[in-house]
């Protein structure tokens, strides 16, 4: 079990709000930070910290301004990016064009999954959408990733990514039976492909969790944890899996991941336990043993310490969230 597959399968990526923006010059749109909770089509409330947005140019050119980056970035057909909800951006046909609307406003006026905006000049087509990680997360998945990932069309591992985006744009344009389901699945695949391309193109710049996963030594230990989360892991046994001394392993793990090896093990055990509890088809002792505890008492104590609620309280809280009557908001970028 590789850690990336395990984490994304457990936290369950859901794509929503996909649309195709047909922009004509002059045009300029802003995506501001989002502080409010949102509801994807599943109806389950998610924290804004568990939302990410994507966009890819399938035709034309534009300029992208990103909060924290001094100079505007020129984008051409095939370029794409992923960003978290805490990052403000502006997209426009020219650095001199003043943005006058938000992505949210334009998406709300979309006809089906196609939105039109601009002054009627040179056309640009952008495929946009959002991702939610709607399993309850002890550590929001967006904390594991950079707040902004840019993939240029000439980078490594982009051929499959381009094919996916073109298929996604086609599904949104044709509106054939089942196109909504197909578009959602394609967007979910797109997320993994963006991540792969980012890892392949800038391995030396990856930090934290991503860098650890692809570190030959720490990556071996992380793979062992995710493959056998129920094993009686110790710092010594994880160091052995990494082929390192105990002290060197513990220090490097803390340096890159910001927590001790056993804190990571316990946190991931609780994340897997949350997934099992939500399925509601297993007894508490069975859940405890599946994540490495011999008794439900020991498991419950660890669960309360890490999650901040006992298992019964957690399940009730989750069910209450699923019954929330609020409607879904209009999609943004």
């Amino acid at each position: 079990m590789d850690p990336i597959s395990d984490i994304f399968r457990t936290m369950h990526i859901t794509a929503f709000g996909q649309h195709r923006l047909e922009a004509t010059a002059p045009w300029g749109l802003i995506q501001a930070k989002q502080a409010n909770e949102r509801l994807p089509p599943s109806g389950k409330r998610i924290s804004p910290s568990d939302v990410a947005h994507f966009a890819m140019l399938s035709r034309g050119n534009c300029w992208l301004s990103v909060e924290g980056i001094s100079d505007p970035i020129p984008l051409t057909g095939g370029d794409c990016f992923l960003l978290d909800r805490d990052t403000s951006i502006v997209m426009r046909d020219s650095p001199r064009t003043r943005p006058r609307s938000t992505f949210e406003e334009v998406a709300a006026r979309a006809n089906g999954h196609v939105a039109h905006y601009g002054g009627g000049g040179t056309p640009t087509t952008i495929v946009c959408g959002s991702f939610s990680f709607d399993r309850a997360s002890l550590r929001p998945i967006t904390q594991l990733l950079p707040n902004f990932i840019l993939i240029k069309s000439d980078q490594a591992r982009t051929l499959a990514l381009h094919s996916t985006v073109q298929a996604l744009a086609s599904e949104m344009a044709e509106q054939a039976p089942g196109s909504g389901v197909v578009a959602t699945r394609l967007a979910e695949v797109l997320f993994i492909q963006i991540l792969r391309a980012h890892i392949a193109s800038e391995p030396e710049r990856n930090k934290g969790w991503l860098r650890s996963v692809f570190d030959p030594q720490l990556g071996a230990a992380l793979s062992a944890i995710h493959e056998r989360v129920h094993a009686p892991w110790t710092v010594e046994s994880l160091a052995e899996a990494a082929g390192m001394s105990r002290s060197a392993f513990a220090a490097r793990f803390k340096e890159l991941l910001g927590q001790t090896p056993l804190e990571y093990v316990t946190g991931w055990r609780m994340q897997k336990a949350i997934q099992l509890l939500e399925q509601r088809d297993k007894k508490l002792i069975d859940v405890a043993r599946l994540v490495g505890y011999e008794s439900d008492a020991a498991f419950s104590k660890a669960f309360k310490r890490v999650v901040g609620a006992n298992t019964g309280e957690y399940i009730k809280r989750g069910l209450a969230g699923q019954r929330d009557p609020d409607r879904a908001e209009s999609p943004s970028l």
Side-chain angles (χ1 to χ4, degrees):
M1 174 67 70
D2 77 90
I4 288 179
S5 294
D6 192 23
I7 284 176
F8 290 155
R9 182 180 296 113
T10 302
M11 293 184 178
H12 189 60
I13 300 170
T14 300
F16 67 100
Q18 301 95 278
H19 62 281
R20 196 178 75 179
L21 172 63
E22 297 290 353
T24 54
W27 63 274
L29 296 171
I30 187 169
Q31 171 76 53
K33 294 180 181 180
Q34 296 168 337
N36 298 324
E37 290 184 330
R38 301 172 57 80
L39 283 173
S42 65
K44 182 175 180 180
R45 183 171 292 282
I46 54 175
S47 165
S49 62
D50 273 339
V51 173
H53 307 296
F54 74 89
M56 182 170 187
L57 268 69
S58 61
R59 177 181 64 163
N61 303 273
C62 72
W63 291 83
L64 171 67
S65 298
V66 181
E67 178 185 12
I69 298 178
S70 57
D71 297 325
I73 302 169
L75 300 181
T76 60
D79 293 348
C80 70
F81 62 87
L82 180 75
L83 72 154
D84 67 22
R85 61 95 190 180
D86 281 328
T87 303
S88 298
I89 63 165
V90 175
M91 295 184 74
R92 46 194 160 184
D93 67 299
S94 164
R96 296 183 296 274
T97 300
R98 181 180 176 182
R100 298 185 180 276
S101 299
T102 67
F103 280 93
E104 217 168 36
E105 292 168 345
V106 173
R109 301 195 297 267
N111 180 14
H113 289 287
V114 180
H116 296 269
Y117 182 75
T122 304
T124 299
T125 301
I126 306 170
V127 177
C128 310
S130 300
F131 299 108
S132 70
F133 310 94
D134 60 3
R135 294 281 184 191
S137 177
L138 302 178
R139 184 182 184 191
I141 199 168
T142 48
Q143 292 182 14
L144 304 175
L145 305 175
N147 62 351
F148 173 68
I149 293 176
L150 173 65
I151 305 297
K152 300 293 287 183
S153 60
D154 58 354
Q155 288 181 198
R157 286 186 175 269
T158 57
L159 180 60
L161 192 155
H162 296 158
S163 299
T164 300
V165 170
Q166 293 303 327
L168 181 57
S170 177
E171 286 293 335
M172 289 185 293
E174 295 179 6
Q175 292 295 287
S179 61
V181 174
V182 174
T184 297
R185 296 295 178 265
L186 287 170
E188 292 166 3
V189 170
L190 179 66
F191 182 91
I192 303 298
Q193 291 176 334
I194 290 174
L195 187 59
R196 282 178 174 174
H198 172 70
I199 292 165
S201 62
E202 301 185 72
E204 72 286 352
R205 294 179 61 183
N206 292 325
K207 297 179 180 179
W209 182 76
L210 278 181
R211 183 176 175 185
S212 301
V213 169
F214 289 90
D215 180 279
Q217 294 173 306
L218 290 190
L222 289 171
S223 293
I225 293 169
H226 285 266
E227 185 175 351
R228 302 188 305 279
V229 70
H230 60 280
W233 293 114
T234 63
V235 177
E236 290 80 3
S237 61
L238 289 171
E240 183 178 352
M244 301 173 68
S245 70
R246 182 191 186 283
S247 58
F249 170 75
R252 183 158 176 77
F253 197 101
K254 182 68 179 287
E255 175 190 359
L256 290 186
L257 283 97
Q259 57 187 156
T260 68
L262 295 187
E263 285 173 341
Y264 185 95
V265 170
T266 301
W268 191 241
R269 283 175 171 172
M270 295 305 107
Q271 188 68 65
K272 298 295 282 188
I274 285 172
Q275 181 188 29
L276 294 168
L277 288 169
E278 287 184 342
Q279 295 171 4
R280 306 192 74 205
D281 61 351
K282 293 179 176 62
K283 295 180 180 179
L284 189 61
I285 185 59
D286 296 327
V287 172
R289 288 172 177 166
L290 285 170
V291 297
Y293 293 85
E294 290 300 318
S295 71
D296 52 3
F299 165 70
S300 296
K301 183 178 179 180
F303 190 92
K304 178 70 178 286
R305 184 181 75 252
V306 175
V307 179
N310 63 42
T311 54
E313 291 170 341
Y314 175 81
I315 292 171
K316 289 179 181 178
R317 190 169 60 197
L319 289 174
Q322 291 176 354
R323 290 193 296 267
D324 194 304
D326 293 348
R327 293 188 301 109
E329 299 176 15
S330 299
S332 55
L333 173 63

